[in-house]
């Protein structure tokens, strides 16, 4: 691979994938590669895939076809969760040259150096049980906010989820390393860090997944003291891992924002059991009530899955009513879809797809109303907004501490600044 000097990326899926694409990109850039936009000509194209997205396979094929039409001689590398789960399927897509599994994605430089355009794709992937170690990554958004990955993998076994099979057991960085990275990011002008992971509250298992000397609360306390970082958000935390001490700390912190995202998945204990979640609805309600008692202004986002097998109309109604009563600010609604090798495939009866979609719509409407209500509660209040600038737009955008989105005309002096804003 003598002349490959430009590289382009496409990321599917979550913030974790975006932060890992950024890390992979930095590895290649350090080796002399120049980064290009995905729709530009490049010598190497890297697609970072997701196992949660529906039609991951179709999307991957479509992207590879696009590359082939535009640039048939370029090398095509596929990595990410889907590449770990279905390496052979991906390798069979015409035009793919290299498939990198979970353990190999951060060794991309070596693999790309050894690669040449050939007839069949090379697969570099091992059994997920052998995946060890932790690779820190972060992505920076206009130098204002960064998604910092501090934890990877998951040792839970929710019956619908393929992530443990795609990313392996729960592993994490150390508190000391994360603090060092936060200091480095502060030095580059970053103001806000969003702590990201697969099961963030499980932080502290070390790079082997076997350690137990640190926990997520230790990390939160240590980050509070990093000079220059003015805001932290916790991207998502399981309700059973969101302890009173974390909530109390956030309530008294000037840096951890009054904003939580807490996966719920269902408001029916029957469905939570079938999903193999580690809590009941009562615990979830208790977490929300405790947060709201200490921080009435706190934003709370909820993940919920509709149409899980066995979810009757009555079960769905129970979830709807539970959410309606709950003092939360917005919902992320996911429609259940079948995934190979998951326990949920054995659960019957299956919910018809059109019913799943109707339920999704019902909860999305509820989410809209919750968001409106939450925003209206704060009208007239003055809150702090961190503004981000968009080079090609006459507008700028930012979020209040409690995650209300503010859009206004672009002002260069407000970019990456925290401004008092009356809602
Ligand atoms: S907690 Fe459950 S849903 Fe979340 S990554 Fe782990 S297994 Fe998947």
């Amino acid at each position: 691979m003598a002349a490959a000097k430009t590289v382009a990326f496409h990321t599917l899926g979550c913030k974790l994938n975006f932060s890992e694409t950024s890390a992979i990109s930095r590895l290649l850039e350090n080796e002399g590669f120049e980064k290009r936009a995905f729709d530009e000509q490049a010598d190497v194209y890297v697609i970072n895939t997701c196992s949660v997205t529906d039609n991951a396979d179709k999307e991957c094929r479509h992207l590879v076809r696009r590359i082939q039409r535009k640039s048939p001689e370029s090398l095509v590398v596929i990595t990410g969760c889907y590449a770990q789960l279905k390496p052979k399927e991906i390798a069979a897509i015409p035009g793919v040259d290299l498939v990198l599994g979970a353990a190999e994605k951060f060794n991309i430089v070596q693999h790309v150096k050894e690669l040449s355009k050939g007839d069949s794709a090379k697969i570099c992937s091992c059994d997920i049980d052998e995946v060890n170690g932790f690779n820190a990554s972060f992505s920076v958004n206009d130098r204002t906010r960064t998604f910092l990955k501090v934890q990877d993998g998951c040792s839970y076994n929710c019956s619908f989820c393929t992530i443990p099979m795609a990313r392996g057991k729960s592993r994490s960085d150390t508190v000391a390393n994360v603090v060092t990275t936060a200091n480095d990011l502060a030095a580059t002008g970053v103001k806000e860090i969003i702590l990201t992971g697969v099961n963030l509250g499980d932080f502290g298992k070390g790079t082997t997944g076997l350690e137990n000397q640190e926990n997520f609360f230790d990390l939160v306390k240590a980050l509070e003291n990093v000079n220059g970082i003015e805001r932290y958000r916790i991207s998502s935390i399981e309700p059973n891992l969101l302890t009173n001490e974390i909530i109390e700390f956030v309530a008294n912190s000037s840096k951890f924002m009054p904003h939580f995202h807490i996966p719920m998945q269902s408001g029916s204990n029957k469905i939570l059991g079938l999903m193999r979640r580690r809590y009941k609805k009562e615990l979830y309600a208790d977490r929300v009530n405790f947060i709201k008692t200490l921080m009435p202004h706190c934003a709370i986002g909820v993940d919920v899955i509709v149409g899980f097998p066995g979810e009757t109309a009555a079960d769905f109604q129970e979830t709807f009513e539970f959410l309606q009563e709950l003092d939360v600010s917005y919902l992320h609604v996911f429609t259940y879809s079948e995934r190979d090798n998951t326990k949920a495939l054995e659960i019957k009866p299956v919910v018809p797809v059109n019913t799943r979609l109707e339920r999704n719509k019902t909860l999305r409407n509820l989410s809209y109303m919750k968001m409106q209500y939450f925003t209206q509660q704060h009208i007239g209040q003055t809150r702090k907004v961190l503004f981000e600038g968009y080079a090609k737009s006459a507008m700028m955008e930012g979020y209040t501490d409690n995650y209300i989105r503010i859009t206004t005309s672009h002002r260069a002096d407000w970019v990456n600044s925290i401004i008092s804003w009356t809602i």
Side-chain angles (χ1 to χ4, degrees), residues 153-158 160-164 198-199 238 265 277:
C154 183
S155 301
Y156 285 15
N157 55 350
C158 301
F160 53 83
C161 186
T162 52
I163 291 175
V198 172
N199 189 345
E238 291 288 301
Q265 312 308 16
R277 302 287 291 164

Side-chain angles (χ1 to χ4, degrees), residues 23-302:
I24 292 170
S25 168
R26 279 189 290 274
L27 289 174
L28 286 163
E29 284 171 77
N30 288 344
E31 286 294 312
F33 281 82
E34 282 170 29
K35 200 168 155 184
R36 296 278 183 267
F38 195 75
D39 52 9
E40 286 176 341
Q41 191 73 31
D43 299 308
V44 182
Y45 290 87
V46 180
I47 303 174
N48 194 1
T49 61
C50 169
S51 65
V52 177
T53 322
D54 274 328
N55 301 323
D57 172 49
K58 236 163 94 187
E59 235 171 312
C60 209
R61 274 173 207 280
H62 171 74
L63 288 166
V64 174
R65 258 203 311 272
R66 250 174 67 189
I67 297 168
Q68 277 206 301
R69 270 200 304 271
K70 185 175 53 187
S71 186
E73 293 309 313
S74 300
L75 296 170
V76 177
V77 182
I78 315 285
T79 187
C81 292
Y82 194 59
Q84 175 67 35
L85 289 178
K86 299 276 173 80
K88 287 191 190 129
E89 260 176 45
I90 290 181
I93 300 174
V96 172
D97 299 291
L98 175 65
V99 182
L100 289 181
E104 294 301 327
K105 64 186 158 201
F106 293 99
N107 296 329
I108 191 165
V109 170
Q110 193 55 34
H111 289 296
V112 166
K113 275 183 177 167
E114 290 165 1
L115 196 63
S116 55
K117 195 83 192 162
D119 292 336
S120 60
K122 188 175 160 199
I123 299 177
C124 300
S125 164
C126 66
D127 195 289
I128 197 66
D129 294 335
E130 289 163 32
V131 173
N132 240 318
F134 179 85
N135 291 279
S137 15
F138 58 85
S139 61
V140 181
N141 206 349
D142 253 357
R143 290 179 57 234
T144 300
R145 299 197 298 155
T146 180
F147 290 88
L148 174 60
K149 174 183 137 188
V150 300
Q151 186 274 342
D152 197 357
C154 183
S155 301
Y156 285 15
N157 55 350
C158 301
S159 60
F160 53 83
C161 186
T162 52
I163 291 175
M165 291 177 254
R167 287 186 168 270
K169 61 178 178 278
S170 178
R171 286 113 53 215
S172 41
D173 212 336
T174 60
V175 170
N177 275 349
V178 179
V179 167
T180 303
T181 308
N183 274 309
D184 292 348
L185 288 167
T188 69
V190 165
K191 294 264 169 63
E192 178 171 318
I193 288 179
I194 299 136
L195 299 174
T196 311
V198 172
N199 189 345
L200 197 52
D202 202 35
F203 176 93
K205 297 286 183 289
T207 53
T208 59
L210 299 171
E211 289 154 44
N212 229 347
Q213 279 138 24
E214 298 182 321
N215 63 33
F216 187 59
F217 186 45
D218 296 330
L219 178 68
V220 165
K221 284 183 290 186
L223 287 173
E224 178 85 4
N225 302 321
V226 173
N227 287 328
I229 301 296
E230 298 187 34
R231 290 179 155 198
Y232 294 99
R233 291 183 201 272
I234 298 166
S235 67
S236 173
I237 184 163
E238 291 288 301
N240 50 305
L241 297 174
L242 181 54
T243 58
N244 282 356
E245 57 185 6
I246 296 173
I247 297 170
E248 280 160 352
F249 189 88
V250 170
N252 293 311
S253 164
S254 57
K255 292 192 174 177
F256 277 82
M257 296 293 101
H259 174 204
F260 289 100
H261 192 95
I262 318 170
M264 181 183 94
Q265 312 308 16
S266 174
S268 147
N269 283 340
K270 179 190 109 182
I271 299 298
L272 287 174
L274 290 172
M275 288 175 163
R276 301 191 177 187
R277 302 287 291 164
R278 298 195 178 193
Y279 53 88
K280 293 207 165 39
K281 63 192 282 189
E282 290 75 15
L283 179 129
Y284 195 94
D286 178 69
R287 299 295 74 203
V288 169
N289 293 337
F290 189 58
I291 292 168
K292 287 302 225 183
T293 306
L294 299 189
M295 295 169 270
H297 56 289
C298 189
I300 303 179
V302 184

